[in-house]
Amino acid sequence: MVYQATASAPVNIACIKYWGKRDTKLILPTNSSLSVTLSQDHLRSTTTSRADPSFSKDRLWLNGKEEEIVAPGRLATCIAELKKMRKELVEDKDASAPKLSTFPVHIASYNNFPTAAGLASSASGFAALVSSLAALYALPCSPSTLSLIARQGSGSACRSLFGGYVAWEQGVLDDGSDSLAVEVAPRSHWPEMHALICVVSDDKKGTSSTSGMQRTVQTSELLQHRIKHVVPKRMKEIEAAIKAKDFDAFAKVTMADSNQFHAVALDTEPPIFYMNDVSRSIIALIVEYNRVAIEKTGKRKAAYTYDAGPNAVIYTLQENVKEIVELIVKYFPQKDGFKDPFQLFAGEGGV
Ligand code: 2P0
């Protein structure tokens, strides 16, 4: 008998940014966040897990290269939590269920995009890992329950358990049992939304999110203002904008939150710079594009957002995709070939 399952999960791109932990072991955030999960095939992790009593230990390969699983690290924690759920929710309830929780697992995961280039590979990676083990173990769990486990792999991973528009509620409990992802709206609610990923650089980033955000927590006063006075209001505003399909309001909040995330990075000691000159030129282009749109119609047509790296994500509606792609290509000429200096993916069928 072969016990094996494969699952795939996409990247999500935050509009309200997660930056800062109040508990680094359980990965509990200092503020709630909200993202859009991409639905195209370009940016996904696909993971296969197999349980077999003949395996000597749990092992994991990422893009073909073995990664050590060190307890009590994040990978080991996720695998142990899922084995525990298998035992408690399946094997203890049904004596005939195979005792998969006692078998070592082998896990192979592939990203179809550059790892750790500020393109949220840990989000799709841990979401796919948790989904594949949950399928292998036939866990009777909702995506929100699985998000509690994915969160312990990488905070932003909890949001990739859902498609569409997803909130990670920070929660208030010390054990983290209320710090989970919930669906704000399915992708089908607003299918006209597109995300254009502009790969400015696919180099590995200089400051990892994990260490960068803790330095921010320790040193930035602006972060405290953001946590208390800014994010709660913005979470409400963006949820309302999504529910009402109000792109102008969505764009305004998304750009403001990207700006503030990079401001708290700059307010960190020593300061962290994630954007580069090309990133800033793309901001200028989108600001000008929106200025003209507002003059004509009173509304914004595009929203930029940047994570812990220089790559731009531009949210826009289907009707503007062609125009924006042409604009980007005009001002940032593409070299032939896949990588240099600037790679643009334009989704065909929604985010
Ligand atoms: C986000 N980022 O909300 C924010 C915006 C980067 C900028 O989540 O330490 O890789 O694994 O919980 O999830 C990046 O942080 O950090 C991130 P860990 P993670 O998408």
Side-chain angles (χ1 to χ4, degrees):
M1 188 69 184
V2 174
Y3 299 108
Q4 181 173 307
T6 298
S8 139
V11 158
N12 70 73
I13 306 290
C15 301
I16 305 296
K17 307 293 189 187
Y18 150 53
W19 196 251
K21 297 181 182 71
R22 66 179 197 276
D23 182 318
T24 52
K25 171 72 184 118
L26 287 171
I27 309 196
L28 302 179
T30 47
N31 62 257
S32 296
S33 54
L34 186 142
S35 57
V36 184
T37 300
L38 306 191
S39 67
Q40 298 284 299
D41 287 334
H42 298 307
L43 298 167
R44 297 185 82 89
S45 301
T46 302
T47 303
T48 299
S49 302
R50 182 189 285 218
D52 193 307
S54 73
F55 293 158
S56 59
K57 59 171 185 170
D58 295 338
R59 294 175 73 184
L60 177 131
W61 290 262
L62 178 57
N63 295 324
K65 186 173 160 281
E66 185 161 9
E67 302 273 318
E68 225 185 319
I69 302 176
V70 193
R74 293 168 173 212
L75 275 169
T77 301
C78 287
I79 295 168
E81 288 283 323
L82 290 157
K83 284 186 177 174
K84 190 165 148 246
M85 286 167 91
R86 165 72 185 182
K87 181 173 182 312
E88 290 173 3
L89 301 178
V90 180
E91 295 164 13
D92 289 354
K93 295 206 165 134
D94 174 6
S96 68
K99 302 279 183 277
L100 299 189
S101 68
T102 65
F103 300 173
V105 283
H106 283 185
I107 301 165
S109 189
Y110 287 89
N111 295 334
N112 63 357
F113 59 96
T115 301
L119 282 176
S121 59
S122 67
S124 55
F126 275 102
L129 178 134
V130 168
S131 299
S132 94
L133 282 169
L136 173 69
Y137 294 155
L139 298 179
C141 293
S142 67
S144 280
T145 302
L146 293 178
S147 80
L148 293 165
I149 313 289
R151 189 201 74 224
Q152 296 175 63
S154 186
S156 52
C158 73
R159 299 187 309 238
S160 275
L161 266 296
F162 288 94
Y165 305 84
V166 188
W168 173 11
E169 294 175 347
Q170 66 181 99
V172 293
L173 301 174
D174 286 343
D175 69 358
S177 56
D178 60 348
S179 183
L180 43 69
V182 295
E183 183 185 86
V184 172
R187 191 186 104 70
S188 58
H189 165 72
W190 201 1
E192 298 82 9
M193 181 72 82
H194 281 245
L196 306 177
I197 316 287
C198 307
V199 179
V200 172
S201 161
D202 62 2
D203 289 347
K204 226 173 145 75
K205 62 192 169 203
T207 305
S208 81
S209 298
T210 305
S211 67
M213 69 174 74
Q214 279 327 96
R215 262 169 45 207
T216 305
V217 169
Q218 285 152 10
T219 61
S220 169
E221 282 180 25
L222 180 57
L223 181 74
Q224 298 311 316
H225 171 72
R226 166 173 171 73
I227 292 166
K228 287 191 198 85
H229 302 296
V230 180
V231 174
K233 190 173 64 152
R234 284 193 184 152
M235 284 296 288
K236 287 199 187 105
E237 284 169 3
I238 200 152
E239 287 191 27
I242 291 165
K243 291 203 163 117
K245 297 200 263 183
D246 178 345
F247 185 84
D248 182 61
F250 172 91
K252 184 167 181 250
V253 181
T254 294
M255 291 188 283
D257 209 68
S258 174
N259 294 345
Q260 193 175 67
F261 155 52
H262 289 277
V264 298
L266 186 64
D267 192 45
T268 300
E269 172 61 39
I272 306 169
F273 305 91
Y274 284 123
M275 293 190 288
N276 64 19
D277 286 348
V278 178
S279 317
R280 286 185 282 271
S281 304
I282 295 172
I283 291 181
L285 186 63
I286 297 301
V287 167
E288 177 60 14
Y289 180 70
N290 278 336
R291 189 190 61 77
V292 173
I294 289 167
E295 229 172 59
K296 278 194 196 145
T297 67
K299 290 184 192 319
R300 294 164 186 79
K301 283 166 53 177
Y304 60 77
T305 188
Y306 293 80
D307 284 337
N311 300 323
V313 175
I314 301 169
Y315 283 115
T316 191
L317 298 177
Q318 165 82 56
E319 65 208 30
N320 307 316
V321 167
K322 189 166 176 285
E323 189 174 64
I324 294 175
V325 169
E326 283 169 1
L327 206 58
I328 296 270
V329 171
K330 179 174 166 198
Y331 286 100
F332 302 92
Q334 318 277 297
K335 265 194 193 162
D336 288 335
F338 185 68
K339 297 232 184 249
D340 289 327
F342 183 91
Q343 171 82 30
L344 179 83
F345 290 124
E348 293 293 325
V351 287

